[in-house]
Amino acid sequence: MSDIVEKTLTALPGLFLQNQSVGGPAGVKASFSSRLGGLVRGITALTSKHEEEKLIQQELSNLKATVSAPATTLKMMKECMVRLIYCEMLGYDASFGYIHAIKLAQQGNLLEKRVGYLAVSLFLHENHELLLLLVNTVVKDLQSTNLVEVCMALTIVSQIFPREMIPAVLPLIEDKLQHSKEIIRRKAVLALYKFHLIAPNQVQHIHIKFRKALCDRDVGVMAASLHIYFRMIKENPSGYKDLTGSFVTILKQVVGGKLPVDFNYHSVPAPWLQIQLLRILGLLGKDDQRTSELMYDVLDESLRRAELNHNVTYGLKALTYVIQQDPTLALQHQMTIIECLDHPDPIIKRETLELLYRITNAQNITVIVQKMLEYLHQSKEEYIIVNLVGKIAELAEKYAPDNAWFIQTMNAVFSVGGDVMHPDIPNNFMRLLAEGFDDETEDQQLRLYAVQSYLTLLDVENVFYPQKFLQVMSWVLGEYYYLLDKDTPEEVLTKLYKLLMNASVSSETKAWLIAAVTKLTSQAHSSNIVERLIQEFTISLDTCMRQHAFELKHLRENVELMKSLLPVDKSCEDMVVDASLSFLDGFVAEELSQGAAPYKPHHQRQEEKLSQEKVLNFEPYGLSFSSSGFTGRQSPAGISLGSDISGNSAETGLKETNGLKLEGIKKLWGKEGYLPKKEGKTGDETEAPPVPQESIIMETVDQTLIKKDQCQVLTQSKEEKEKQLLASSLFVGLGSESTVNLLGKADTVSHKFRRKSKIKETKSGETTSAHNRTCFHFSSSSNATYEDDYYLDTLQDRGDKELNKLSLNSGLLDSESLTELPSVEKLSSCKLSSSPSLFTDNSMEGFQPSQSTALSVANETSLAASLLEETSEHMHSDLVEVCHNETISLSSFKIWKDDCLFMVWSVSNKSGLELESADLEIAPAENFKITEQPGCRLPIIEAESIKTFQYSVQVEKPFTEGNLSGFINYQMMDTHSVQLEFSVNLSLLDFIRPLKISTENFGKLWLSFANDVKQNIKVSESQAALPSALKTLQQKLRLHVVEIIGNEGLLACQLLPSIPCLLHFRVHGDVLALWFRSSCSTLPDCLLYQCQKVMEGS
Amino acid sequence: MQFMLLFSRQGKLRLQKWYVPLSDKEKKKITRELVQTVLARKPKMCSFLEWRDLKIVYKRYASLYFCCAIEDQDNELITLEIIHRYVELLDKYFGSVCELDIIFNFEKAYFILDEFLLGGEVQETSKKNVLKAIEQADLLQEVDAKSTHKTNDGRYKFSCT
């Protein structure tokens, strides 16, 4: 203890020495100065939280009195501030001191000011209203001749500064970029970086000065400027390509050890700088071969010099990324991965599971899912559970080896994931059960197994299942209980009734439960339980339940209606509903004839109500009926129904049931839990533990691997053997033999639970449909190539010029179609009758007025020629006038360049006078990055001439509709200036470009994307054929056709600059099944919207 | 970087620096949760964890935990070195620094941090330059006190665990 005290004393040198030196009145101050020490020691001595609270509250009230007392000196104030900071760090409110912190920064001497600024930076955040009071102080200090004061002001500005006050300090800080002291320059750069983050528009004009900072002779200043460049380049990589060389040179110098030695960090030269530069180069080189080539040398050099770091998670992460490229690589590291799986650190375990998830296939699924479930049962964090549950469900659906395993795994998912999991999981599960696969017998078995399993689960007393799980159970039991072939559903009704009476069941779940009861009642209407239930709930306080109960009651009185309303196993059928309620026509007519008011639709009533405001609202508030499936027999999941899935005769299903083994189910939730036990269909694999069983399978798949393993096994301990065994079961199927065809996996693997696409093949080709089940098989069969040729033929046959002009394959462009520019003709005929001048041969960059009208025809062609020169490799839109007055006319068109959208505005001066200081400005728009092209700013527009302004536009994130607005102003000789406003619509499609990739890459990408959207859209008969649908997609959406297989197509595109999106589509009859996937979560939705629009439009 | 926290083995917060605007309530919640999570981890476990949508990088020096939160695209390893460089700076300034130095002179620890990291980004990586800036400011205010700071012997009291 004594050495702690000693240490304490030496650690307080400043405070003590100061007070000793002051003397005299220091007696008073000394008590203040040592107060922090006293406070800290006092707190340390306390034993309970309660005592601490008392002490601090006491301290705070003392402080409050002191800081507001007029006699308190600034020196004392500084000490108080330190203690306030300390109290706040301990979690107590010291907000009364905030204003005093600002005062201290304002009035104190250097010493006090420093603490004042520190307190402000710790107490306040950048939106705090008190911060405005600091602005004046900052301005004053920035102008100070004392370097330390300037430094302090710059430091606070870089941390917190109110955005709206930036203009007050900006010029001062800009000046500091030229300061002689490097520390001031460095802090100024960082302050501007902060401004760039919170208000990028305000610092746009100083970009040039940043370049100077980048070339600063001081390393610190240069390094600070990299933060700004990193942000700016991230936002607009194409704007800074010219700096690539500079960054490469800097990196070369850093790597080559040219910096001062004190920038070394443990003999690595400036690692932070290196990382920052590498990140910047990464941004610049992305999707740009030419720029990348500049970097290869230095990257190679950096790599060689970098020492490899061995942190296990990091290695695993890297491996996870690598494996996405090539799963077989995991084989080399299998033992390491196994080690990590048993690592005591849950973080490492989780990373390992992530890796395993990537290499899962039909052969190792049971082991991997088992590992995942083990982890799941240990973890409590919601985020992890949601994430893992989703993965398990996905894997189970893809690779489940058999029915029992699948249902049991999903049971585990629902029990653990409960109400936090993604709603798609139960929805997909129910859809899968409802739609089934190609084999009806299998389907019925799966459904039956689910029913049995749920009945068993509901038998267990005192177990609470999550609401979502109960909902799934009620739906399945309601739909498929009949498969059990019992005379009456009394047993299950009892169970459902018990749940309905359970207080812990939510009312949403109750709606599902009563829906199930209703379905079951239609199969056996004389049930005491139903009677009781109706009695119970027709007087329920829950309006929704009461409604359901009444519906049930009335349906029971009309058995015929009930049966037709709730047919058995028709959940995938469309119900014919007379939406117009025509059967009421007679009633309505009668009422009307008796003087009843005609029906007004809701919106009309609403409008009328609004027009007579301040009238009492006599309308009842809308009842919130649960939307869960009572009215129809549809799944509550809202399946969109493919009408051609025929209902299977119940009999076939029942026959199958008889043969199914029922034993062993009771143990489902026993000690073994849901451990995958084969319920041997063949009967010979009884109760074999999963590991050895898996290794048997493995043997057949990867002989070489097991041989290698066997050699090792001989020399290894038993424990090692177990690990080896586990390894072999985990990594089975990754060998060279079964190179993973990422989309379809190897075709030999049977996909039990791959969902059948909603529109089935016509039954005619029953044999081939087995192949089609794995809906993406990429074996380029002759069939596919045939289709391809056919498609091309039809394209050429049509010889459609419009198509050619828009087609993305520049190879298809023929010059004839391009010379025809209707828009230009239109323009010249209606608007430019007096001004024949057009673009000159120097394409877009500049223009010269034409001299005489006689040249008009020639010029017109030269415009076409020059336009074409520029645009022949890019597609472009028609020229559209956006605004005009008697003097000028402004038109614009879009050029869809490969890397951006290029907007050209052309101003034509219709008057005979010169226009001065003509300027076109585009307002900054959220989500769009607009860059003016150099060389298009000419202050004067001569009489009867045309001038163009060019901008490149980039988009930040997907959107559906966008708009660019701006204005053009000009001055005519001796008159005031005129301003004209305009706006131009942007569509997402302006930023969509074809993505030319191979089928193989498509497959890889497809699997790596997590965001998908599926939708069926109906198209008109004429479009229904594959070629015409393809044509529309290719032309209007600019998708690249990757491959066509039968009636399915694979297309790919990217949102500029480089967000890929893939589309799989399938045509059947007049329905188009679209399936988008992308790395971006919103892009698929936006694209789907566009797709629907073009399909409806054409 | 989103924020940096220093806390003791007993879970007492010693220093907090927030580079993103958050309400006091959120700050307290985050601090409590993170301190708990990190303290529960065993010595052999790795220094990184994923937490909410952030990555947490932490390292223990003697009785003190240094803990940084970074975004997904940031590099964990270089962040670990940021922590270490900060400890080196503290050590050089205080002369074999220990937890008590930071408790009793936390404002100094803040000053050093502000010279090293500014607005969540690395400001200056040269040890010499950071200390020079601090000493310049100190020089003006504590002429007497400075001599005690100068006696550093370069030893680490914080040993890497």
Side-chain angles (χ1 to χ4, degrees):
Chain A
M1 187 62 194
S2 65
D3 66 322
I4 294 180
V5 176
E6 198 177 277
K7 183 70 202 171
T8 308
L9 291 175
T10 52
L12 288 166
L15 299 168
F16 281 101
L17 289 171
Q18 236 166 30
N19 294 318
Q20 281 158 13
S21 65
V22 175
V28 190
K29 284 172 191 165
S31 66
F32 273 108
S33 302
S34 54
R35 278 277 179 85
L36 174 67
L39 178 64
V40 172
R41 258 172 270 135
I43 292 168
T44 323
L46 297 175
T47 47
S48 76
K49 184 81 189 159
H50 180 67
E51 283 175 323
E52 180 192 295
E53 205 173 315
K54 240 171 73 186
L55 183 81
I56 304 253
Q57 291 303 352
Q58 176 65 39
E59 177 77 17
L60 282 172
S61 56
N62 287 346
L63 283 168
K64 198 169 183 176
T66 314
V67 293
S68 40
T72 309
T73 63
L74 288 171
K75 191 154 199 163
M76 286 150 75
M77 191 70 94
K78 169 187 157 255
E79 218 296 315
C80 290
M81 219 36 81
V82 173
R83 275 185 289 153
L84 278 175
I85 297 175
Y86 191 80
C87 291
E88 190 149 282
M89 185 157 65
L90 291 176
Y92 298 89
D93 177 44
S95 52
F96 63 84
Y98 293 178
I99 185 74
H100 298 284
I102 290 177
K103 269 204 238 162
L104 193 64
Q106 193 182 348
Q107 298 164 355
N109 61 21
L110 277 177
L111 175 80
E112 293 141 10
K113 192 184 268 292
R114 197 181 183 200
V115 174
Y117 271 132
L118 175 69
V120 169
S121 79
L122 292 171
F123 286 153
L124 305 184
H125 55 82
E126 62 194 23
N127 304 321
H128 203 287
E129 51 195 357
L130 283 179
L131 208 52
L132 289 173
L133 299 176
L134 193 73
V135 175
N136 266 333
T137 315
V138 170
V139 170
K140 206 183 82 205
D141 285 339
L142 281 176
Q143 290 165 315
S144 164
T145 49
N146 187 323
L147 285 184
V148 177
E149 277 185 344
V150 180
C151 276
M152 282 192 248
L154 285 172
T155 306
I156 194 81
V157 167
S158 314
Q159 297 188 73
I160 45 167
F161 199 74
R163 181 166 44 187
E164 60 273 28
M165 295 312 285
I166 290 176
V169 293
L170 193 57
L172 292 169
I173 292 175
E174 266 181 73
D175 284 348
K176 298 286 179 276
L177 289 174
Q178 274 98 43
H179 201 277
S180 59
K181 277 279 178 201
E182 57 275 357
I183 185 170
I184 305 279
R185 294 202 300 276
R186 184 179 78 210
K187 283 181 190 282
V189 169
L190 282 167
L192 293 174
Y193 167 66
K194 175 74 180 179
F195 291 167
H196 179 79
L197 289 183
I198 59 177
N201 292 334
Q202 308 232 27
V203 290
Q204 252 168 3
H205 64 285
I206 29 184
H207 283 188
I208 300 295
K209 291 186 180 162
F210 293 153
R211 294 205 177 204
K212 245 178 112 185
L214 184 65
C215 308
D216 200 284
R217 61 185 180 281
D218 181 72
V219 180
V221 182
M222 182 272 292
S225 76
L226 291 182
H227 296 308
I228 299 186
Y229 276 109
F230 179 71
R231 293 284 162 167
M232 294 196 300
I233 291 170
K234 202 168 172 193
E235 283 152 23
N236 175 23
S238 54
Y240 300 90
K241 299 270 183 194
D242 57 321
L243 285 175
T244 312
S246 313
F247 293 123
V248 168
T249 317
I250 298 170
L251 184 56
K252 251 182 208 149
Q253 288 175 5
V254 176
V255 174
K258 300 270 161 51
L259 297 190
V261 196
D262 50 291
F263 282 94
N264 280 9
Y265 176 81
H266 295 258
S267 70
V268 180
W272 292 279
L273 200 50
Q274 282 196 42
I275 297 262
Q276 192 71 356
L277 283 164
L278 288 171
R279 288 172 77 186
I280 289 176
L281 289 179
L283 291 175
L284 285 172
K286 193 177 177 202
D287 306 323
D288 185 344
Q289 178 75 27
R290 210 163 44 86
T291 314
S292 301
E293 275 165 11
L294 298 172
M295 311 172 186
Y296 292 152
D297 276 350
V298 71
L299 293 185
D300 188 43
E301 176 78 12
S302 317
L303 253 185
R304 253 186 327 106
R305 300 218 180 200
E307 272 176 58
L308 288 175
N309 209 314
H310 302 286
N311 196 311
V312 183
T313 13
Y314 219 67
L316 273 179
K317 267 218 170 122
L319 200 54
T320 313
Y321 293 132
V322 170
I323 281 166
Q324 288 175 28
Q325 304 300 319
D326 184 0
T328 51
L329 287 175
L331 288 175
Q332 299 162 13
H333 302 283
Q334 38 180 314
M335 287 322 287
T336 323
I337 298 172
I338 299 294
E339 299 277 340
C340 292
L341 204 52
D342 292 328
H343 202 280
D345 187 346
I347 299 291
I348 293 186
K349 256 191 183 170
R350 212 168 93 204
E351 289 294 336
T352 317
L353 289 178
E354 174 74 32
L355 189 149
L356 289 179
Y357 162 75
R358 301 274 172 192
I359 59 164
T360 309
N361 58 31
Q363 291 148 52
N364 58 20
I365 170 88
T366 45
V367 194
I368 287 181
V369 167
Q370 186 194 339
K371 289 279 168 199
M372 286 179 156
L373 285 171
E374 275 168 23
Y375 186 84
L376 194 60
H377 284 289
Q378 291 163 10
S379 55
K380 287 175 189 70
E381 204 185 307
E382 190 181 311
Y383 181 80
I384 298 175
I385 293 176
V386 173
N387 184 304
L388 209 51
V389 152
K391 285 187 172 139
I392 295 174
E394 186 194 329
L395 291 178
E397 206 177 285
K398 258 194 212 154
Y399 305 117
D402 60 72
N403 291 338
W405 185 90
F406 179 64
I407 295 294
Q408 282 167 5
T409 305
M410 290 311 284
N411 284 350
V413 163
F414 291 139
S415 330
V416 182
D419 297 324
V420 294
M421 68 191 166
H422 197 274
D424 274 358
I425 298 175
N427 289 351
N428 282 342
F429 176 74
M430 288 186 286
R431 180 149 82 183
L432 194 141
L433 284 187
E435 292 180 354
F437 328 103
D438 292 317
D439 186 349
E440 268 310 321
T441 329
E442 278 282 297
D443 293 349
Q444 299 295 33
Q445 275 181 358
L446 179 67
R447 290 166 190 161
L448 181 65
Y449 191 87
V451 169
Q452 290 165 337
S453 145
Y454 296 155
L455 286 177
T456 320
L457 288 184
L458 291 179
D459 266 343
V460 186
E461 297 282 335
N462 294 326
V463 178
F464 297 102
Y465 300 108
Q467 302 298 321
K468 285 267 169 59
F469 194 14
L470 288 176
Q471 291 166 12
V472 170
M473 285 190 200
S474 18
W475 185 82
V476 171
L477 290 175
E479 282 294 324
Y480 298 113
Y481 184 77
Y482 76 92
L483 291 174
L484 270 185
D485 204 18
K486 293 267 175 71
D487 288 336
T488 63
E490 208 67 19
E491 178 198 358
V492 66
L493 281 173
T494 317
K495 284 177 182 144
L496 295 175
Y497 177 73
K498 245 165 74 188
L499 282 172
L500 272 170
M501 301 310 287
N502 191 330
S504 66
V505 173
S506 76
S507 57
E508 190 198 348
T509 309
K510 282 186 181 167
W512 287 70
L513 284 165
I514 203 155
V517 169
T518 313
K519 286 177 207 167
L520 291 165
T521 311
S522 74
Q523 288 158 37
H525 29 90
S526 63
S527 160
N528 294 334
I529 292 178
V530 178
E531 296 274 338
R532 245 163 66 200
L533 195 139
I534 292 172
Q535 268 178 19
E536 201 88 46
F537 284 99
T538 43
I539 52 163
S540 165
L541 285 178
D542 185 335
T543 331
C544 185
M545 292 305 290
R546 210 161 58 228
Q547 165 90 6
H548 284 313
F550 272 113
E551 282 174 11
L552 176 56
K553 188 177 166 191
H554 288 293
L555 279 176
R556 258 162 61 91
E557 285 158 10
N558 189 345
V559 180
E560 285 300 303
L561 178 66
M562 190 169 197
K563 294 235 174 197
S564 66
L565 190 63
L566 304 164
V568 171
D569 192 25
K570 292 280 195 297
S571 65
C572 291
E573 301 272 307
D574 262 327
M575 276 203 72
V576 184
V577 177
D578 186 357
S580 65
L581 305 178
S582 58
F583 55 88
L584 287 174
D585 283 351
F587 174 76
V588 172
E590 198 179 309
E591 288 294 308
L592 282 174
S593 68
Q594 286 175 13
Y599 172 75
K600 288 176 188 164
H602 181 68
H603 61 90
Q604 198 179 340
R605 273 176 286 155
Q606 209 72 35
E607 277 166 19
E608 281 172 16
K609 211 165 65 189
L610 282 172
S611 62
Q612 24 177 287
E613 252 175 304
K614 290 188 180 166
V615 171
L616 275 177
N617 180 10
F618 291 115
E619 286 199 12
Y621 293 104
L623 290 174
S624 63
F625 285 110
S626 154
S627 62
S628 45
F630 179 81
T631 43
R633 283 269 292 175
Q634 310 175 358
S635 115
I639 303 167
S640 70
L641 304 161
S643 54
D644 55 351
I645 299 172
S646 58
N648 314 294
S649 86
E651 280 182 20
T652 36
L654 294 176
K655 271 179 210 153
E656 294 303 325
T657 349
N658 296 336
L660 204 109
K661 291 183 181 174
L662 299 180
E663 61 265 33
I665 296 168
K666 292 266 178 199
K667 283 182 205 154
L668 194 63
W669 285 98
K671 227 181 170 184
E672 301 285 292
Y674 41 79
L675 274 179
K677 279 182 194 162
K678 299 265 172 174
E679 244 197 291
K681 272 174 237 150
T682 47
D684 55 352
E685 302 178 335
T686 43
E687 304 281 298
V691 172
Q693 191 184 352
E694 286 298 325
S695 61
I696 293 166
I697 300 171
M698 204 213 72
E699 212 165 358
T700 61
V701 177
D702 199 342
Q703 290 285 356
T704 49
L705 180 68
I706 197 128
K707 266 179 202 154
K708 197 178 104 203
D709 283 349
Q710 277 167 347
C711 303
Q712 289 167 356
V713 165
L714 287 174
T715 58
Q716 275 159 345
S717 67
K718 201 179 160 200
E719 193 184 318
E720 281 294 298
K721 266 187 213 162
E722 276 171 15
K723 283 190 175 171
Q724 289 277 2
L725 219 51
L726 180 59
S728 54
S729 55
L730 280 175
F731 297 99
V732 64
L734 288 177
S736 53
E737 220 167 297
S738 59
T739 34
V740 188
N741 180 344
L742 279 160
L743 249 194
K745 295 278 177 183
D747 270 352
T748 49
V749 182
S750 73
H751 291 260
K752 276 213 160 173
F753 295 94
R754 181 174 283 284
R755 226 176 291 126
K756 169 171 62 179
S757 67
K758 275 174 245 156
I759 304 106
K760 263 212 289 188
E761 291 278 312
T762 32
K763 290 280 176 189
S764 64
E766 200 59 70
T767 42
T768 52
S769 74
H771 287 282
N772 285 333
R773 186 176 3 151
T774 58
C775 40
F776 311 100
H777 58 117
F778 287 129
S779 54
S780 55
S781 61
S782 56
N783 181 31
T785 39
Y786 165 74
E787 284 285 348
D788 217 0
D789 289 342
Y790 168 71
Y791 166 63
L792 283 175
D793 284 348
T794 45
L795 280 189
Q796 271 153 9
D797 284 351
R798 294 206 157 201
D800 190 332
K801 274 186 207 150
E802 190 63 20
L803 163 70
N804 282 340
K805 201 169 107 192
L806 287 166
S807 163
L808 297 172
N809 300 331
S810 52
L812 282 177
L813 288 174
D814 61 321
S815 51
E816 265 181 33
S817 68
L818 281 166
T819 48
E820 186 188 68
L821 280 171
S823 56
V824 175
E825 281 169 2
K826 221 188 295 161
L827 176 84
S828 55
S829 60
C830 59
K831 292 280 174 280
L832 301 175
S833 47
S834 64
S835 62
S837 85
L838 289 162
F839 301 89
T840 52
D841 43 11
N842 267 343
S843 73
M844 300 298 167
E845 296 275 314
F847 83 98
Q848 277 169 351
S850 70
Q851 300 305 315
S852 79
T853 47
L855 285 171
S856 84
V857 182
N859 271 336
E860 215 165 292
T861 41
S862 90
L863 161 68
S866 66
L867 255 177
L868 287 173
E869 209 169 294
E870 173 78 2
T871 56
S872 58
E873 44 185 323
H874 307 294
M875 299 199 305
H876 57 86
S877 71
D878 295 343
L879 193 60
V880 183
E881 180 174 278
V882 291
C883 68
H884 67 97
N885 62 8
E886 64 284 350
T887 323
I888 61 162
S889 156
L890 182 67
S891 308
S892 87
F893 69 98
K894 300 170 178 171
I895 301 175
W896 296 292
K897 284 199 170 185
D898 288 343
D899 56 344
C900 67
L901 171 68
F902 203 75
M903 299 278 308
V904 179
W905 276 274
S906 75
V907 192
S908 73
N909 181 358
K910 297 185 284 189
S911 72
L913 296 167
E914 207 169 65
L915 300 182
E916 280 174 8
S917 34
D919 194 12
L920 182 121
E921 208 140 308
I922 305 296
E926 208 179 314
N927 199 29
F928 298 112
K929 187 157 178 65
I930 304 141
T931 321
E932 190 185 340
Q933 295 301 302
C936 67
R937 220 156 247 258
L938 291 171
I940 295 172
I941 303 182
E942 275 103 311
E944 299 184 351
S945 66
I946 290 182
K947 166 175 160 50
T948 63
F949 296 91
Q950 300 162 55
Y951 289 84
S952 73
V953 185
Q954 299 218 310
V955 67
E956 274 155 24
K957 54 179 191 291
F959 66 102
T960 45
E961 297 294 338
N963 192 295
L964 278 189
S965 60
F967 58 84
I968 175 159
N969 54 26
Y970 61 89
Q971 205 164 0
M972 270 198 173
M973 236 185 282
D974 304 328
T975 60
H976 58 281
S977 74
V978 180
Q979 181 162 328
L980 269 180
E981 287 177 6
F982 62 86
S983 77
V984 180
N985 285 330
L986 293 179
S987 153
L988 179 71
L989 297 182
D990 289 330
F991 300 95
I992 293 291
R993 300 288 178 272
L995 179 65
K996 287 172 186 151
I997 52 171
S998 66
T999 308
E1000 195 183 322
N1001 285 333
F1002 183 98
K1004 281 181 188 161
L1005 281 176
W1006 184 268
L1007 272 203
S1008 69
F1009 291 161
N1011 307 295
D1012 66 347
V1013 169
K1014 289 183 220 178
Q1015 181 82 38
N1016 289 356
I1017 54 178
K1018 260 200 158 138
V1019 290
S1020 60
E1021 235 10 273
S1022 63
Q1023 274 187 326
L1026 183 77
S1028 91
L1030 254 183
K1031 197 183 90 181
T1032 318
L1033 289 173
Q1034 199 183 22
Q1035 285 174 17
K1036 303 264 174 75
L1037 290 183
R1038 294 164 217 215
L1039 301 174
H1040 169 68
V1041 180
V1042 179
E1043 192 167 351
I1044 300 154
I1045 305 157
N1047 59 350
E1048 294 172 20
L1050 307 174
L1051 298 102
C1053 68
Q1054 56 179 333
L1055 176 68
L1056 291 175
S1058 58
I1059 307 172
C1061 187
L1062 306 178
L1063 166 64
H1064 165 256
F1065 87 96
R1066 189 181 164 115
V1067 182
H1068 183 76
D1070 56 352
V1071 178
L1072 202 57
L1074 298 165
W1075 189 359
F1076 288 96
R1077 271 200 183 190
S1078 171
S1079 57
C1080 166
S1081 58
T1082 46
L1083 187 54
D1085 281 315
C1086 295
L1087 262 180
L1088 175 65
Y1089 171 75
Q1090 298 291 348
C1091 199
Q1092 281 171 320
K1093 247 175 52 179
V1094 299
M1095 284 302 182
E1096 280 162 17
S1098 55
Chain B
M1 190 181 294
Q2 302 244 328
F3 57 84
M4 185 187 233
L5 301 175
L6 265 67
F7 51 87
S8 70
R9 221 167 34 171
Q10 289 77 35
K12 280 256 187 292
L13 196 59
R14 295 301 180 207
L15 199 117
Q16 54 173 342
K17 191 80 195 180
W18 301 84
Y19 297 111
V20 282
L22 289 171
S23 72
D24 284 346
K25 213 174 133 198
E26 278 171 290
K27 285 184 192 171
K28 274 185 202 163
K29 187 165 175 269
I30 291 174
T31 311
R32 203 172 43 238
E33 240 178 82
L34 265 186
V35 168
Q36 249 176 27
T37 315
V38 170
L39 287 179
R41 294 175 61 80
K42 298 191 178 65
K44 282 279 163 63
M45 292 184 173
C46 94
S47 285
F48 314 132
L49 47 128
E50 273 160 46
W51 181 81
R52 297 195 187 170
D53 56 340
L54 298 174
K55 292 194 285 201
I56 304 297
V57 177
Y58 72 91
K59 193 161 183 181
R60 183 179 153 180
Y61 290 89
S63 57
L64 206 55
Y65 284 88
F66 289 69
C67 175
C68 293
I70 52 172
E71 278 143 78
D72 195 42
Q73 70 269 18
D74 292 328
N75 185 317
E76 298 97 327
L77 290 173
I78 204 74
T79 310
L80 203 58
E81 304 308 334
I82 287 179
I83 293 178
H84 193 72
R85 178 42 67 103
Y86 181 46
V87 173
E88 283 180 2
L89 287 167
L90 290 172
D91 193 70
K92 190 116 182 175
Y93 182 80
F94 287 107
S96 64
V97 66
C98 72
E99 192 184 337
L100 286 168
D101 290 323
I102 293 171
I103 299 174
F104 288 102
N105 292 296
F106 65 85
E107 80 273 23
K108 297 276 165 47
Y110 277 120
F111 291 144
I112 297 172
L113 186 61
D114 284 348
E115 286 301 321
F116 176 45
L117 299 177
L118 197 50
E121 304 284 355
V122 175
Q123 178 188 183
E124 176 61 74
T125 61
S126 155
K127 204 154 53 172
K128 203 179 78 190
N129 290 356
V130 173
L131 291 173
K132 211 169 77 189
I134 292 289
E135 275 169 18
Q136 256 174 2
D138 283 354
L139 196 67
L140 288 159
Q141 51 175 310
E142 295 171 40
V143 183
D144 297 326
K146 234 194 102 210
S147 57
T148 46
H149 292 157
K150 277 272 176 168
T151 58
N152 63 67
D153 54 3
R155 268 187 309 116
Y156 289 118
K157 262 265 190 65
F158 290 167
S159 58
C160 311
T161 49

